[in-house]
Amino acid sequence: MDNAGSHAGPGTGTATGSAPDTGNPDDPGPGSGSDPGSGLDPDSGIGTGTGTGTGTGTNVTPKVNMSMNMSTGGPPAAAPAPPLAIRLALPVDAPAIAAVHLASRQVTMPYLPPQRRTHAEVTRWIREIVLPQCHTVVAARGAEILGYASVRGELLDQLYLRPDVRRAGIGSLLLAAARRHRPAGLSLHVFQLNTEARAFYAHHGFRVVATDDGGANMENLPQLTLRWTPAAAPLPRRGTP
């Protein structure tokens, strides 16, 4: 499954955590936004071409495979899609990240109040607050930004996916990158209404550690605090080297 929504910021369905000090334009605290899916299956394009020719020292006309060389009038084969990469976010990515953030919240969390911030305002928040204060990675295919995740301390503060790329494993890849950054454990906040995000995080080992009535977030919606802690390595048996 890959539907993440964390108050941290909905990409396509994962919301993680409300960040009181990040200047989040709409308290991108708990939400759902990046629920990617399991199993990344990048698009691929295959092109084939054949040609045959023979030479024996005498003039021999090459045989031509007409079925392979005659134009069918169809469209040319699509070029292979660029590979997906998880990389650090750059200031130049801010407009695309803002677009992901806004689209994810609108599509995956219809219960939120109407969006009050413009794309320019959210872009400025991303560039001036989120990127300087958080460890932020993006899922990119070439120049295209498909999702992002931001970690502030041990809080997964944002994790949003573009709505049209949900359930493709991208949210899981972003979450894995966040875990590598904080291998000792991560916490996040998610709205109680965000059932898809809650299921996504439960699937990845997050457990509820606290609840509140919504008084701490701008949306005034009850939220859960989730925590992931890596399993302890088993102790070696006595008597073994």
Side-chain angles (χ1 to χ4, degrees):
M1 65 183 296
D2 210 32
N3 183 11
S6 87
H7 172 8
T12 71
T14 126
T16 68
S18 63
D21 298 327
T22 60
N24 189 328
D26 273 309
D27 185 29
S32 106
S34 99
D35 174 8
S38 57
L40 176 65
D41 185 16
D43 296 336
S44 62
I46 300 175
T48 62
T50 64
T52 62
T54 62
T56 63
T58 61
N59 293 331
V60 178
T61 303
K63 295 181 180 180
V64 178
N65 185 333
M66 299 300 292
S67 64
M68 296 298 294
N69 288 276
M70 291 184 65
S71 172
T72 62
L84 182 73
I86 305 296
R87 61 166 175 80
L88 284 174
L90 304 172
V92 71
D93 297 322
I97 292 174
V100 168
H101 184 92
L102 289 168
S104 177
R105 286 175 68 90
Q106 180 179 9
V107 172
T108 64
M109 294 183 285
Y111 45 81
L112 292 180
Q115 177 61 244
R116 298 175 310 216
R117 305 295 181 176
T118 65
H119 178 261
E121 289 173 322
V122 177
T123 296
R124 185 166 59 251
W125 168 68
I126 294 289
R127 183 184 293 118
E128 298 179 2
I129 303 297
V130 175
L131 296 186
Q133 295 187 10
C134 303
H135 174 82
T136 302
V137 295
V138 296
R141 182 169 283 134
E144 198 175 15
I145 302 298
L146 307 180
Y148 81 105
S150 295
V151 178
R152 185 169 56 91
E154 290 193 347
L155 182 70
L156 180 57
D157 199 41
Q158 312 288 331
L159 202 179
Y160 294 145
L161 294 183
R162 211 172 67 186
D164 61 313
V165 300
R166 296 176 66 192
R167 305 187 183 284
I170 300 173
S172 295
L173 293 176
L174 288 169
L175 180 58
R179 283 174 161 176
R180 287 193 296 271
H181 180 65
R182 288 295 180 188
L186 278 175
S187 297
L188 61 88
H189 306 295
V190 61
F191 292 128
Q192 290 188 22
L193 290 173
N194 197 342
T195 56
E196 289 189 347
R198 291 168 57 184
F200 170 79
Y201 289 115
H203 175 74
H204 286 285
F206 284 78
R207 299 292 177 261
V208 177
V209 295
T211 62
D212 68 52
D213 61 3
N217 61 69
M218 291 176 63
E219 293 86 352
N220 294 317
L221 292 174
Q223 65 182 14
L224 307 174
T225 300
L226 310 182
R227 175 76 184 175
W228 164 77
T229 304
L235 296 175
R237 295 181 179 179
R238 292 183 178 180
T240 60

PDB file of all heavy atoms in Angstrom, residues 44-84:
ATOM      1  N   SER A  44       8.337   2.203 -18.951  1.00  0.00           N
ATOM      2  CA  SER A  44       9.468   1.892 -19.798  1.00  0.00           C
ATOM      3  C   SER A  44       9.032   1.984 -21.233  1.00  0.00           C
ATOM      4  O   SER A  44       7.874   1.767 -21.560  1.00  0.00           O
ATOM      5  CB  SER A  44       9.989   0.485 -19.495  1.00  0.00           C
ATOM      6  OG  SER A  44       8.993  -0.470 -19.779  1.00  0.00           O
ATOM      7  N   GLY A  45       9.967   2.295 -22.100  1.00  0.00           N
ATOM      8  CA  GLY A  45       9.654   2.363 -23.517  1.00  0.00           C
ATOM      9  C   GLY A  45      10.658   1.517 -24.260  1.00  0.00           C
ATOM     10  O   GLY A  45      11.832   1.523 -23.958  1.00  0.00           O
ATOM     11  N   ILE A  46      10.208   0.743 -25.220  1.00  0.00           N
ATOM     12  CA  ILE A  46      11.102  -0.125 -25.977  1.00  0.00           C
ATOM     13  C   ILE A  46      10.986   0.216 -27.443  1.00  0.00           C
ATOM     14  O   ILE A  46       9.889   0.307 -27.980  1.00  0.00           O
ATOM     15  CB  ILE A  46      10.743  -1.610 -25.767  1.00  0.00           C
ATOM     16  CG1 ILE A  46      10.862  -1.950 -24.287  1.00  0.00           C
ATOM     17  CG2 ILE A  46      11.612  -2.506 -26.600  1.00  0.00           C
ATOM     18  CD1 ILE A  46      10.420  -3.344 -23.963  1.00  0.00           C
ATOM     19  N   GLY A  47      12.112   0.408 -28.095  1.00  0.00           N
ATOM     20  CA  GLY A  47      12.099   0.661 -29.534  1.00  0.00           C
ATOM     21  C   GLY A  47      12.922  -0.401 -30.235  1.00  0.00           C
ATOM     22  O   GLY A  47      13.971  -0.791 -29.732  1.00  0.00           O
ATOM     23  N   THR A  48      12.467  -0.891 -31.358  1.00  0.00           N
ATOM     24  CA  THR A  48      13.231  -1.897 -32.086  1.00  0.00           C
ATOM     25  C   THR A  48      13.381  -1.477 -33.531  1.00  0.00           C
ATOM     26  O   THR A  48      12.542  -0.780 -34.085  1.00  0.00           O
ATOM     27  CB  THR A  48      12.529  -3.274 -32.060  1.00  0.00           C
ATOM     28  OG1 THR A  48      11.265  -3.130 -32.705  1.00  0.00           O
ATOM     29  CG2 THR A  48      12.321  -3.756 -30.646  1.00  0.00           C
ATOM     30  N   GLY A  49      14.445  -1.897 -34.133  1.00  0.00           N
ATOM     31  CA  GLY A  49      14.656  -1.621 -35.543  1.00  0.00           C
ATOM     32  C   GLY A  49      15.519  -2.719 -36.130  1.00  0.00           C
ATOM     33  O   GLY A  49      16.413  -3.221 -35.461  1.00  0.00           O
ATOM     34  N   THR A  50      15.237  -3.141 -37.332  1.00  0.00           N
ATOM     35  CA  THR A  50      16.039  -4.206 -37.935  1.00  0.00           C
ATOM     36  C   THR A  50      16.408  -3.835 -39.350  1.00  0.00           C
ATOM     37  O   THR A  50      15.731  -3.075 -40.017  1.00  0.00           O
ATOM     38  CB  THR A  50      15.262  -5.538 -37.985  1.00  0.00           C
ATOM     39  OG1 THR A  50      14.134  -5.351 -38.843  1.00  0.00           O
ATOM     40  CG2 THR A  50      14.795  -5.965 -36.617  1.00  0.00           C
ATOM     41  N   GLY A  51      17.499  -4.391 -39.817  1.00  0.00           N
ATOM     42  CA  GLY A  51      17.906  -4.204 -41.206  1.00  0.00           C
ATOM     43  C   GLY A  51      18.777  -5.369 -41.597  1.00  0.00           C
ATOM     44  O   GLY A  51      19.556  -5.858 -40.788  1.00  0.00           O
ATOM     45  N   THR A  52      18.668  -5.887 -42.798  1.00  0.00           N
ATOM     46  CA  THR A  52      19.491  -7.015 -43.207  1.00  0.00           C
ATOM     47  C   THR A  52      20.169  -6.686 -44.516  1.00  0.00           C
ATOM     48  O   THR A  52      19.663  -5.946 -45.338  1.00  0.00           O
ATOM     49  CB  THR A  52      18.640  -8.285 -43.405  1.00  0.00           C
ATOM     50  OG1 THR A  52      17.699  -8.021 -44.448  1.00  0.00           O
ATOM     51  CG2 THR A  52      17.909  -8.664 -42.141  1.00  0.00           C
ATOM     52  N   GLY A  53      21.342  -7.278 -44.764  1.00  0.00           N
ATOM     53  CA  GLY A  53      22.043  -7.063 -46.016  1.00  0.00           C
ATOM     54  C   GLY A  53      23.052  -8.169 -46.211  1.00  0.00           C
ATOM     55  O   GLY A  53      23.600  -8.688 -45.248  1.00  0.00           O
ATOM     56  N   THR A  54      23.298  -8.590 -47.419  1.00  0.00           N
ATOM     57  CA  THR A  54      24.280  -9.632 -47.670  1.00  0.00           C
ATOM     58  C   THR A  54      25.205  -9.176 -48.765  1.00  0.00           C
ATOM     59  O   THR A  54      24.835  -8.439 -49.667  1.00  0.00           O
ATOM     60  CB  THR A  54      23.599 -10.939 -48.116  1.00  0.00           C
ATOM     61  OG1 THR A  54      22.915 -10.680 -49.341  1.00  0.00           O
ATOM     62  CG2 THR A  54      22.631 -11.439 -47.071  1.00  0.00           C
ATOM     63  N   GLY A  55      26.462  -9.612 -48.739  1.00  0.00           N
ATOM     64  CA  GLY A  55      27.415  -9.297 -49.795  1.00  0.00           C
ATOM     65  C   GLY A  55      28.266 -10.519 -50.050  1.00  0.00           C
ATOM     66  O   GLY A  55      28.810 -11.099 -49.128  1.00  0.00           O
ATOM     67  N   THR A  56      28.395 -10.940 -51.305  1.00  0.00           N
ATOM     68  CA  THR A  56      29.138 -12.164 -51.597  1.00  0.00           C
ATOM     69  C   THR A  56      30.292 -11.904 -52.550  1.00  0.00           C
ATOM     70  O   THR A  56      30.934 -12.836 -53.020  1.00  0.00           O
ATOM     71  CB  THR A  56      28.208 -13.195 -52.257  1.00  0.00           C
ATOM     72  OG1 THR A  56      27.754 -12.656 -53.493  1.00  0.00           O
ATOM     73  CG2 THR A  56      27.039 -13.511 -51.365  1.00  0.00           C
ATOM     74  N   GLY A  57      30.571 -10.622 -52.829  1.00  0.00           N
ATOM     75  CA  GLY A  57      31.616 -10.359 -53.789  1.00  0.00           C
ATOM     76  C   GLY A  57      31.009 -10.097 -55.152  1.00  0.00           C
ATOM     77  O   GLY A  57      31.616  -9.483 -56.008  1.00  0.00           O
ATOM     78  N   THR A  58      29.811 -10.606 -55.382  1.00  0.00           N
ATOM     79  CA  THR A  58      29.071 -10.292 -56.594  1.00  0.00           C
ATOM     80  C   THR A  58      27.969  -9.346 -56.187  1.00  0.00           C
ATOM     81  O   THR A  58      27.624  -9.236 -55.009  1.00  0.00           O
ATOM     82  CB  THR A  58      28.463 -11.566 -57.219  1.00  0.00           C
ATOM     83  OG1 THR A  58      27.570 -12.124 -56.285  1.00  0.00           O
ATOM     84  CG2 THR A  58      29.540 -12.556 -57.580  1.00  0.00           C
ATOM     85  N   ASN A  59      27.440  -8.648 -57.143  1.00  0.00           N
ATOM     86  CA  ASN A  59      26.391  -7.698 -56.806  1.00  0.00           C
ATOM     87  C   ASN A  59      25.110  -8.431 -56.469  1.00  0.00           C
ATOM     88  O   ASN A  59      24.491  -9.017 -57.336  1.00  0.00           O
ATOM     89  CB  ASN A  59      26.152  -6.741 -57.963  1.00  0.00           C
ATOM     90  CG  ASN A  59      27.339  -5.840 -58.182  1.00  0.00           C
ATOM     91  OD1 ASN A  59      28.044  -5.543 -57.242  1.00  0.00           O
ATOM     92  ND2 ASN A  59      27.561  -5.431 -59.425  1.00  0.00           N
ATOM     93  N   VAL A  60      24.788  -8.421 -55.233  1.00  0.00           N
ATOM     94  CA  VAL A  60      23.572  -9.088 -54.766  1.00  0.00           C
ATOM     95  C   VAL A  60      22.683  -8.039 -54.131  1.00  0.00           C
ATOM     96  O   VAL A  60      23.127  -7.259 -53.288  1.00  0.00           O
ATOM     97  CB  VAL A  60      23.888 -10.193 -53.743  1.00  0.00           C
ATOM     98  CG1 VAL A  60      22.610 -10.831 -53.242  1.00  0.00           C
ATOM     99  CG2 VAL A  60      24.815 -11.221 -54.359  1.00  0.00           C
ATOM    100  N   THR A  61      21.462  -8.002 -54.557  1.00  0.00           N
ATOM    101  CA  THR A  61      20.530  -7.042 -53.985  1.00  0.00           C
ATOM    102  C   THR A  61      20.122  -7.467 -52.588  1.00  0.00           C
ATOM    103  O   THR A  61      19.693  -8.605 -52.390  1.00  0.00           O
ATOM    104  CB  THR A  61      19.271  -6.945 -54.867  1.00  0.00           C
ATOM    105  OG1 THR A  61      19.679  -6.577 -56.185  1.00  0.00           O
ATOM    106  CG2 THR A  61      18.305  -5.922 -54.301  1.00  0.00           C
ATOM    107  N   PRO A  62      20.293  -6.596 -51.588  1.00  0.00           N
ATOM    108  CA  PRO A  62      19.892  -6.968 -50.214  1.00  0.00           C
ATOM    109  C   PRO A  62      18.406  -7.263 -50.160  1.00  0.00           C
ATOM    110  O   PRO A  62      17.603  -6.608 -50.810  1.00  0.00           O
ATOM    111  CB  PRO A  62      20.221  -5.725 -49.377  1.00  0.00           C
ATOM    112  CG  PRO A  62      21.108  -4.892 -50.244  1.00  0.00           C
ATOM    113  CD  PRO A  62      20.819  -5.249 -51.663  1.00  0.00           C
ATOM    114  N   LYS A  63      18.088  -8.260 -49.388  1.00  0.00           N
ATOM    115  CA  LYS A  63      16.687  -8.570 -49.142  1.00  0.00           C
ATOM    116  C   LYS A  63      16.157  -7.626 -48.071  1.00  0.00           C
ATOM    117  O   LYS A  63      16.796  -7.409 -47.062  1.00  0.00           O
ATOM    118  CB  LYS A  63      16.526 -10.011 -48.693  1.00  0.00           C
ATOM    119  CG  LYS A  63      16.925 -11.022 -49.761  1.00  0.00           C
ATOM    120  CD  LYS A  63      16.726 -12.425 -49.262  1.00  0.00           C
ATOM    121  CE  LYS A  63      17.119 -13.447 -50.335  1.00  0.00           C
ATOM    122  NZ  LYS A  63      16.934 -14.831 -49.842  1.00  0.00           N
ATOM    123  N   VAL A  64      15.017  -7.073 -48.282  1.00  0.00           N
ATOM    124  CA  VAL A  64      14.441  -6.116 -47.345  1.00  0.00           C
ATOM    125  C   VAL A  64      13.191  -6.703 -46.727  1.00  0.00           C
ATOM    126  O   VAL A  64      12.326  -7.210 -47.434  1.00  0.00           O
ATOM    127  CB  VAL A  64      14.093  -4.791 -48.055  1.00  0.00           C
ATOM    128  CG1 VAL A  64      13.445  -3.838 -47.078  1.00  0.00           C
ATOM    129  CG2 VAL A  64      15.345  -4.173 -48.659  1.00  0.00           C
ATOM    130  N   ASN A  65      13.141  -6.662 -45.421  1.00  0.00           N
ATOM    131  CA  ASN A  65      11.956  -7.130 -44.715  1.00  0.00           C
ATOM    132  C   ASN A  65      10.924  -6.015 -44.765  1.00  0.00           C
ATOM    133  O   ASN A  65      10.956  -5.072 -43.997  1.00  0.00           O
ATOM    134  CB  ASN A  65      12.323  -7.468 -43.260  1.00  0.00           C
ATOM    135  CG  ASN A  65      11.163  -8.083 -42.509  1.00  0.00           C
ATOM    136  OD1 ASN A  65      10.014  -7.817 -42.840  1.00  0.00           O
ATOM    137  ND2 ASN A  65      11.473  -8.893 -41.499  1.00  0.00           N
ATOM    138  N   MET A  66      10.009  -6.121 -45.714  1.00  0.00           N
ATOM    139  CA  MET A  66       9.057  -5.031 -45.915  1.00  0.00           C
ATOM    140  C   MET A  66       8.168  -4.811 -44.703  1.00  0.00           C
ATOM    141  O   MET A  66       7.776  -3.701 -44.403  1.00  0.00           O
ATOM    142  CB  MET A  66       8.192  -5.331 -47.151  1.00  0.00           C
ATOM    143  CG  MET A  66       8.991  -5.445 -48.441  1.00  0.00           C
ATOM    144  SD  MET A  66       9.887  -3.919 -48.819  1.00  0.00           S
ATOM    145  CE  MET A  66       8.525  -2.825 -49.191  1.00  0.00           C
ATOM    146  N   SER A  67       7.864  -5.901 -44.007  1.00  0.00           N
ATOM    147  CA  SER A  67       6.953  -5.750 -42.870  1.00  0.00           C
ATOM    148  C   SER A  67       7.582  -4.931 -41.747  1.00  0.00           C
ATOM    149  O   SER A  67       6.899  -4.310 -40.957  1.00  0.00           O
ATOM    150  CB  SER A  67       6.523  -7.127 -42.332  1.00  0.00           C
ATOM    151  OG  SER A  67       7.648  -7.817 -41.818  1.00  0.00           O
ATOM    152  N   MET A  68       8.927  -4.937 -41.671  1.00  0.00           N
ATOM    153  CA  MET A  68       9.594  -4.222 -40.607  1.00  0.00           C
ATOM    154  C   MET A  68       9.963  -2.803 -41.014  1.00  0.00           C
ATOM    155  O   MET A  68      10.187  -1.945 -40.173  1.00  0.00           O
ATOM    156  CB  MET A  68      10.871  -4.968 -40.184  1.00  0.00           C
ATOM    157  CG  MET A  68      10.609  -6.341 -39.592  1.00  0.00           C
ATOM    158  SD  MET A  68       9.613  -6.243 -38.082  1.00  0.00           S
ATOM    159  CE  MET A  68      10.728  -5.405 -37.005  1.00  0.00           C
ATOM    160  N   ASN A  69      10.101  -2.539 -42.335  1.00  0.00           N
ATOM    161  CA  ASN A  69      10.613  -1.259 -42.763  1.00  0.00           C
ATOM    162  C   ASN A  69       9.570  -0.322 -43.338  1.00  0.00           C
ATOM    163  O   ASN A  69       9.828   0.854 -43.499  1.00  0.00           O
ATOM    164  CB  ASN A  69      11.717  -1.470 -43.804  1.00  0.00           C
ATOM    165  CG  ASN A  69      12.992  -2.011 -43.171  1.00  0.00           C
ATOM    166  OD1 ASN A  69      13.793  -1.270 -42.655  1.00  0.00           O
ATOM    167  ND2 ASN A  69      13.146  -3.329 -43.207  1.00  0.00           N
ATOM    168  N   MET A  70       8.418  -0.834 -43.669  1.00  0.00           N
ATOM    169  CA  MET A  70       7.388   0.035 -44.195  1.00  0.00           C
ATOM    170  C   MET A  70       6.734   0.804 -43.049  1.00  0.00           C
ATOM    171  O   MET A  70       6.465   0.258 -41.988  1.00  0.00           O
ATOM    172  CB  MET A  70       6.340  -0.775 -44.948  1.00  0.00           C
ATOM    173  CG  MET A  70       6.859  -1.384 -46.244  1.00  0.00           C
ATOM    174  SD  MET A  70       5.562  -2.240 -47.145  1.00  0.00           S
ATOM    175  CE  MET A  70       4.471  -0.889 -47.547  1.00  0.00           C
ATOM    176  N   SER A  71       6.494   2.043 -43.278  1.00  0.00           N
ATOM    177  CA  SER A  71       5.849   2.853 -42.255  1.00  0.00           C
ATOM    178  C   SER A  71       4.399   2.428 -42.087  1.00  0.00           C
ATOM    179  O   SER A  71       3.702   2.175 -43.056  1.00  0.00           O
ATOM    180  CB  SER A  71       5.902   4.333 -42.655  1.00  0.00           C
ATOM    181  OG  SER A  71       5.135   5.106 -41.780  1.00  0.00           O
ATOM    182  N   THR A  72       3.974   2.309 -40.853  1.00  0.00           N
ATOM    183  CA  THR A  72       2.598   1.920 -40.575  1.00  0.00           C
ATOM    184  C   THR A  72       1.710   3.139 -40.376  1.00  0.00           C
ATOM    185  O   THR A  72       0.502   3.020 -40.230  1.00  0.00           O
ATOM    186  CB  THR A  72       2.527   1.058 -39.308  1.00  0.00           C
ATOM    187  OG1 THR A  72       3.002   1.836 -38.211  1.00  0.00           O
ATOM    188  CG2 THR A  72       3.386  -0.193 -39.457  1.00  0.00           C
ATOM    189  N   GLY A  73       2.339   4.297 -40.332  1.00  0.00           N
ATOM    190  CA  GLY A  73       1.551   5.503 -40.132  1.00  0.00           C
ATOM    191  C   GLY A  73       1.203   5.771 -38.679  1.00  0.00           C
ATOM    192  O   GLY A  73       0.547   6.747 -38.376  1.00  0.00           O
ATOM    193  N   GLY A  74       1.638   4.895 -37.768  1.00  0.00           N
ATOM    194  CA  GLY A  74       1.342   5.089 -36.356  1.00  0.00           C
ATOM    195  C   GLY A  74       2.315   6.065 -35.722  1.00  0.00           C
ATOM    196  O   GLY A  74       3.323   6.451 -36.332  1.00  0.00           O
ATOM    197  N   PRO A  75       2.057   6.468 -34.479  1.00  0.00           N
ATOM    198  CA  PRO A  75       2.949   7.397 -33.786  1.00  0.00           C
ATOM    199  C   PRO A  75       4.268   6.728 -33.452  1.00  0.00           C
ATOM    200  O   PRO A  75       4.330   5.501 -33.298  1.00  0.00           O
ATOM    201  CB  PRO A  75       2.157   7.746 -32.511  1.00  0.00           C
ATOM    202  CG  PRO A  75       1.266   6.565 -32.297  1.00  0.00           C
ATOM    203  CD  PRO A  75       0.907   6.069 -33.672  1.00  0.00           C
ATOM    204  N   PRO A  76       5.352   7.469 -33.368  1.00  0.00           N
ATOM    205  CA  PRO A  76       6.645   6.881 -33.003  1.00  0.00           C
ATOM    206  C   PRO A  76       6.603   6.335 -31.585  1.00  0.00           C
ATOM    207  O   PRO A  76       5.824   6.773 -30.753  1.00  0.00           O
ATOM    208  CB  PRO A  76       7.612   8.069 -33.114  1.00  0.00           C
ATOM    209  CG  PRO A  76       6.738   9.279 -32.937  1.00  0.00           C
ATOM    210  CD  PRO A  76       5.419   8.915 -33.568  1.00  0.00           C
ATOM    211  N   ALA A  77       7.453   5.338 -31.354  1.00  0.00           N
ATOM    212  CA  ALA A  77       7.500   4.733 -30.019  1.00  0.00           C
ATOM    213  C   ALA A  77       7.906   5.779 -28.987  1.00  0.00           C
ATOM    214  O   ALA A  77       8.754   6.636 -29.241  1.00  0.00           O
ATOM    215  CB  ALA A  77       8.492   3.574 -30.012  1.00  0.00           C
ATOM    216  N   ALA A  78       7.276   5.704 -27.819  1.00  0.00           N
ATOM    217  CA  ALA A  78       7.577   6.666 -26.758  1.00  0.00           C
ATOM    218  C   ALA A  78       8.973   6.416 -26.209  1.00  0.00           C
ATOM    219  O   ALA A  78       9.429   5.279 -26.109  1.00  0.00           O
ATOM    220  CB  ALA A  78       6.546   6.545 -25.641  1.00  0.00           C
ATOM    221  N   ALA A  79       9.658   7.471 -25.871  1.00  0.00           N
ATOM    222  CA  ALA A  79      10.982   7.344 -25.268  1.00  0.00           C
ATOM    223  C   ALA A  79      10.843   6.827 -23.849  1.00  0.00           C
ATOM    224  O   ALA A  79       9.845   7.089 -23.181  1.00  0.00           O
ATOM    225  CB  ALA A  79      11.675   8.702 -25.267  1.00  0.00           C
ATOM    226  N   PRO A  80      11.834   6.070 -23.379  1.00  0.00           N
ATOM    227  CA  PRO A  80      11.770   5.564 -22.003  1.00  0.00           C
ATOM    228  C   PRO A  80      11.662   6.709 -20.998  1.00  0.00           C
ATOM    229  O   PRO A  80      12.250   7.768 -21.186  1.00  0.00           O
ATOM    230  CB  PRO A  80      13.096   4.806 -21.842  1.00  0.00           C
ATOM    231  CG  PRO A  80      13.542   4.506 -23.227  1.00  0.00           C
ATOM    232  CD  PRO A  80      13.051   5.639 -24.078  1.00  0.00           C
ATOM    233  N   ALA A  81      10.886   6.500 -19.952  1.00  0.00           N
ATOM    234  CA  ALA A  81      10.750   7.526 -18.913  1.00  0.00           C
ATOM    235  C   ALA A  81      12.049   7.621 -18.120  1.00  0.00           C
ATOM    236  O   ALA A  81      12.729   6.611 -17.918  1.00  0.00           O
ATOM    237  CB  ALA A  81       9.598   7.170 -17.984  1.00  0.00           C
ATOM    238  N   PRO A  82      12.424   8.807 -17.671  1.00  0.00           N
ATOM    239  CA  PRO A  82      13.623   8.931 -16.834  1.00  0.00           C
ATOM    240  C   PRO A  82      13.449   8.111 -15.556  1.00  0.00           C
ATOM    241  O   PRO A  82      12.337   7.920 -15.071  1.00  0.00           O
ATOM    242  CB  PRO A  82      13.687  10.432 -16.513  1.00  0.00           C
ATOM    243  CG  PRO A  82      12.842  11.096 -17.545  1.00  0.00           C
ATOM    244  CD  PRO A  82      11.769  10.102 -17.892  1.00  0.00           C
ATOM    245  N   PRO A  83      14.541   7.605 -14.991  1.00  0.00           N
ATOM    246  CA  PRO A  83      14.446   6.831 -13.748  1.00  0.00           C
ATOM    247  C   PRO A  83      14.011   7.715 -12.577  1.00  0.00           C
ATOM    248  O   PRO A  83      14.262   8.926 -12.573  1.00  0.00           O
ATOM    249  CB  PRO A  83      15.866   6.296 -13.546  1.00  0.00           C
ATOM    250  CG  PRO A  83      16.735   7.278 -14.284  1.00  0.00           C
ATOM    251  CD  PRO A  83      15.928   7.724 -15.469  1.00  0.00           C
ATOM    252  N   LEU A  84      13.373   7.105 -11.604  1.00  0.00           N
ATOM    253  CA  LEU A  84      12.966   7.831 -10.400  1.00  0.00           C
ATOM    254  C   LEU A  84      14.163   7.963  -9.474  1.00  0.00           C
ATOM    255  O   LEU A  84      14.911   7.007  -9.277  1.00  0.00           O
ATOM    256  CB  LEU A  84      11.838   7.089  -9.702  1.00  0.00           C
ATOM    257  CG  LEU A  84      11.283   7.760  -8.450  1.00  0.00           C
ATOM    258  CD1 LEU A  84      10.445   8.974  -8.834  1.00  0.00           C
ATOM    259  CD2 LEU A  84      10.431   6.791  -7.658  1.00  0.00           C
TER     260      LEU A  84
END
